[in-house]
Amino acid sequence: TTGAAREYFTVNFTITNLPYTSDLEKPDSARFRATRRVMNMMLDRLLKDSSIGPAFHGCEATDFRYG
């Protein structure tokens, strides 16, 4: 038997208490890396504890933008 194929999807949302700065546009900036690390940790924790937890394999913040 073969395992189920992973499905990838994009989720967009707004964080209202994260002040936007231009270094969030630069993936090599310290601010981008720190923000991505925190967001990944918090989203992983939230989704692992949700109803999709058993099927959840991780998430990755890839972009921040003003808006």
Side-chain angles (χ1 to χ4, degrees):
T1 62
T2 60
R6 282 192 186 171
E7 292 187 40
Y8 296 89
F9 58 93
T10 300
V11 176
N12 296 306
F13 57 91
T14 301
I15 303 169
T16 59
N17 63 346
L18 176 65
Y20 183 81
T21 61
S22 62
D23 32 338
L24 286 174
E25 294 177 9
K26 304 171 191 155
D28 60 336
S29 74
R31 172 122 181 174
F32 182 97
R33 291 191 311 269
T35 303
R36 180 179 56 196
R37 184 173 47 253
V38 169
M39 291 305 305
N40 289 346
M41 179 188 67
M42 294 177 81
L43 288 169
D44 277 350
R45 194 178 299 162
L46 175 70
L47 294 169
K48 283 179 185 174
D49 290 341
S50 75
S51 62
I52 68 166
F56 179 69
H57 289 282
C59 67
E60 181 178 349
T62 59
D63 189 29
F64 300 101
R65 62 185 173 137
Y66 182 75

